[in-house]
């Protein structure tokens, strides 16, 4: 899968997730489902996931034999930046609750599943 194809699918996926979050926020306005800075967190995770995919894709194309190392490196890069984001957010925000934790990790997992799925599709095509 080329980076342009991934970008198109990723944009559709990201807009779908954003739409679901927007509908949930408006549908359950009396409940606190989304963190106060949800859209900043959403944008950060969407951006870092795209960068991690681009790094892994570049590594796979440069040396297909070490494609797994490129994937693991991009996932580690994403995890380190995400932990730094949580640390900085926690230090600068008064919000300490389950809502932030559930929002962050659900978004992290959803974006990671999509990234890994697309990367594994690239590896599958190389094996044929």
């Amino acid at each position: 899968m080329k980076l342009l194809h991934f970008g198109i699918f990723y944009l559709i996926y990201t807009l779908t997730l954003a739409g679901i979050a927007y509908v949930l926020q408006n549908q359950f306005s009396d409940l606190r489902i989304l963190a106060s800075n949800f859209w900043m967190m959403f944008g950060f995770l969407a951006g870092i996931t795209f960068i991690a995919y681009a790094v892994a894709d570049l590594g796979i194309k440069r040396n297909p034999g070490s494609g797994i190392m490129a994937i693991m490196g991009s996932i580690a890069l994403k995890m380190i930046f995400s932990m730094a984001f949580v640390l900085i957010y926690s230090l600068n925000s008064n919000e300490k609750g389950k809502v932030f934790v559930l929002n962050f990790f659900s978004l992290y997992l959803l974006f990671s599943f999509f990234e890994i799925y697309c990367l594994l599709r690239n590896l599958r095509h190389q094996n044929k």
Side-chain angles (χ1 to χ4, degrees), residues 23-36:
V23 167
L24 284 175
Q25 182 181 18
N26 289 334
Q27 200 68 7
F28 301 105
S29 58
D30 55 333
L31 289 174
R32 189 159 175 246
I33 293 177
L34 301 180
S36 60

Side-chain angles (χ1 to χ4, degrees), residues 24-118:
L24 284 175
Q25 182 181 18
N26 289 334
Q27 200 68 7
F28 301 105
S29 58
D30 55 333
L31 289 174
R32 189 159 175 246
I33 293 177
L34 301 180
S36 60
N37 292 326
F38 175 81
W39 296 109
M40 178 184 65
M41 180 178 20
F42 186 87
F44 171 78
L45 286 171
I48 197 70
T49 300
F50 187 79
I51 292 169
Y53 178 85
V55 167
D57 190 49
L58 181 68
I60 290 170
K61 287 180 180 172
R62 278 196 178 167
N63 188 2
S66 64
I68 296 298
M69 293 304 290
I71 292 173
M72 296 304 284
S74 73
I75 291 171
L77 180 76
K78 181 179 172 185
M79 189 183 319
I80 289 170
F81 279 110
S82 295
M83 288 189 305
F85 177 83
V86 169
L87 177 66
I88 292 169
Y89 184 85
S90 297
L91 292 175
N92 292 329
S93 176
N94 294 332
E95 182 179 13
K96 310 263 191 235
K98 295 177 187 175
V99 174
F100 171 75
V101 171
L102 288 173
N103 286 175
F104 183 82
F105 286 111
S106 63
L107 284 176
Y108 183 85
L109 288 174
L110 287 169
F111 282 120
S112 294
F113 289 152
F114 186 78
E115 174 193 5
I116 291 170
Y117 173 75
C118 291

